Amino acid sequence: MNPHILIIGAGFAGVWSALSAARLLDQAQRGDVSISVLAPQAELRIRPRFYESDVHSMKAPLGALFETVGVTFIKGHAQTIDVEGRTVGYTDADGQPRQIGYDRLVLAAGSQVARPPVPGLAEHTFDVDQMESAMRLEQHLVGLTKQPASPARDTVVVCGGGFTGIETATEMPTRLRTILGEDAPVRVVVVDRGPSIGAALGAGITPSIVEACEQAGVQWLTGRSVVAVDAGGVTLDDGEYIASKTVIWTVGVKASPLTAQVPGERDGFGRLRVDDHLKVIGQEHIYATGDVAWAAVDESGNHALMTCQHAIPMGRHCGNNAAADLLGVAPVVYRQPVYVTCLDLGGWGATFSEGWERTLKYKGQEGKDLKRQINTVWIYPPAADRAVALAAADPLIPVV
């Protein structure tokens, strides 16, 4: 049988791994090596935008793109990884168990919101982690109009004041007033363990976060945490109860549970430690990329974050290197020394900062224009044009 590269996942890292592998095989004129992507749907879901409204539209079809570069799409859910047998077990579109072999495996299965054992969390909270859950939240918000006006109906509690929590919270007043009316007495509360507003994002952009939240009327309860959730609201660790029909959980993420089936060292998020070429340390035939990879981005001790900013270039490197391994050619070293942060802050605008210390460069409308460019253009996959798509997958393209 022909050599086979199997990629699990069609997120940012998976898509770009497939395109990059196809690019190297095209350059080597090796039509005897096959590439497959195994995922639940042939579409790239634009996860960084799930805090917005109209979530159902935030996806890009992949069928034509994969076809034009010679990548086979397999619709299914990966269930098991047999490292010794080099096979992956999955459930196909009809719910039937299947198995597929590989010569090189690229694990790009992504991440999911972490759900600790807080009483009532599973039953009574929403999240913006996956398209289905973000759509469920949106349907719930629209449905608030059918409930009688009350403080609980008009209050949204966002659990977690990190990146996702801030973007969700600052967007929420506008979303609520669009649904409930401009005069609705909406209340948005962020509950965060940090000692101050935006503490997790550094001092450089904190003043902008404070200003944006004050403008939007977003309230912060810092140094606090949620210890229980019920149908009527949340209980905090100091005993305070906040009545709310809409509780959104944004506290932390963890790597796909598939990582647990691959022997190797992991970090606190469950990500597999990889070498400079994104091969899982201790494995000869398995690569990891995107949110499942614990990868160094520079020589200063920084590691890739679980964001599309790192997943896209990691995919370009990983797919290339998996193909290079099969072809017996030199791999490329993954490094991404430049780091930026673009944080949406609702109607106030956005911030754009540079470096791990997050030095502020743009804010307000100028930052918002850049954020829109990133979210609606830069992170989308290329058109289904073979030459364009393969050129875009070059791992040596300068990236941030």
Side-chain angles (χ1 to χ4, degrees):
M1 295 180 63
N2 290 340
H4 181 217
I5 299 171
L6 176 62
I7 299 166
I8 298 178
F12 294 102
V15 168
W16 286 100
S17 289
L19 296 178
S20 187
R23 172 186 173 275
L24 192 63
L25 296 177
D26 179 75
Q27 289 185 337
Q29 298 183 334
R30 287 289 298 272
D32 61 319
V33 179
S34 61
I35 305 169
S36 299
V37 172
L38 170 62
Q41 60 279 318
E43 58 189 29
L44 174 61
R45 296 184 165 186
I46 312 301
R47 190 181 184 192
R49 299 186 62 189
F50 287 174
Y51 64 93
E52 302 178 39
S53 57
D54 298 322
V55 178
H56 66 279
S57 66
M58 294 170 188
K59 57 188 178 184
L62 297 172
L65 175 61
F66 284 160
E67 183 177 357
T68 196
V69 298
V71 171
T72 299
F73 176 75
I74 303 170
K75 184 178 177 65
H77 290 79
Q79 304 287 350
T80 60
I81 300 173
D82 181 351
V83 174
E84 296 299 323
R86 294 194 214 172
T87 60
V88 169
Y90 67 98
T91 304
D92 69 14
D94 298 319
Q96 298 301 309
R98 303 287 182 187
Q99 194 173 77
I100 186 170
Y102 63 83
D103 293 277
R104 295 296 181 274
L105 177 66
V106 173
L107 185 58
S111 62
Q112 59 196 48
V113 66
R115 289 186 169 273
V118 174
L121 188 152
E123 298 88 351
H124 302 295
T125 64
F126 298 88
D127 64 67
V128 293
D129 185 55
Q130 304 296 324
M131 177 169 280
E132 289 81 6
S133 59
M135 289 174 63
R136 176 173 166 262
L137 170 62
E138 188 162 30
Q139 291 164 0
H140 165 79
L141 293 175
V142 172
L144 290 175
T145 58
K146 299 178 182 178
Q147 299 184 24
S150 70
R153 186 202 70 167
D154 299 334
T155 298
V156 172
V157 175
V158 177
C159 307
F163 200 98
T164 301
I166 291 170
E167 293 197 324
T168 301
T170 52
E171 187 76 9
M172 192 55 62
T174 298
R175 295 183 68 178
L176 286 173
R177 291 193 174 97
T178 298
I179 294 166
L180 299 175
E182 286 298 321
D183 296 327
V186 302
R187 182 189 182 201
V188 178
V189 182
V190 178
V191 179
D192 187 53
R193 294 177 181 175
S196 59
I197 294 175
L201 295 179
I205 59 178
T206 294
S208 296
I209 297 171
V210 171
E211 186 177 330
C213 288
E214 288 177 348
Q215 177 178 301
V218 174
Q219 176 187 0
W220 281 69
L221 298 179
T222 57
R224 319 274 281 281
S225 60
V226 172
V227 296
V229 188
D230 59 37
V234 301
T235 301
L236 305 186
D237 53 356
D238 61 358
E240 181 180 356
Y241 185 83
I242 303 174
S244 172
K245 294 293 186 180
T246 310
V247 180
I248 306 172
W249 191 262
T250 70
V251 185
V253 293
K254 59 182 179 180
S256 164
L258 286 173
T259 56
Q261 300 185 37
V262 179
E265 184 182 354
R266 294 167 182 76
D267 70 353
F269 298 104
R271 300 183 298 179
L272 288 160
R273 188 178 181 186
V274 295
D275 65 16
D276 289 344
H277 305 134
L278 302 179
K279 179 181 285 188
V280 176
I281 293 177
Q283 297 297 325
E284 286 299 314
H285 308 104
I286 302 178
Y287 291 76
T289 186
D291 287 2
V292 299
W294 179 19
V297 297
D298 56 29
E299 311 304 328
S300 301
N302 295 308
H303 290 78
L305 301 182
M306 298 162 90
T307 67
C308 65
Q309 176 182 176
H310 287 118
I312 291 172
M314 287 175 75
R316 288 191 181 113
H317 285 75
C318 193
N320 178 91
N321 290 344
D325 202 6
L326 279 177
L327 299 179
V329 300
V332 291
V333 172
Y334 167 67
R335 285 293 183 267
Q336 194 173 346
V338 178
Y339 172 64
V340 302
T341 305
C342 199
L343 178 70
D344 200 349
L345 292 170
W348 180 89
T351 61
F352 181 87
S353 61
E354 295 180 349
W356 292 95
E357 69 286 353
R358 294 193 173 99
T359 301
L360 183 64
K361 294 296 181 181
Y362 308 109
K363 66 178 184 177
Q365 188 59 48
E366 193 173 17
K368 191 78 165 186
D369 291 342
L370 185 53
K371 180 70 171 182
R372 285 177 178 149
Q373 182 77 2
I374 293 170
N375 271 8
T376 62
V377 179
W378 294 357
I379 63 176
Y380 276 69
D385 178 295
R386 182 177 176 84
V388 170
L390 295 183
D394 185 350
L396 298 184
I397 290 175
V399 293
V400 298

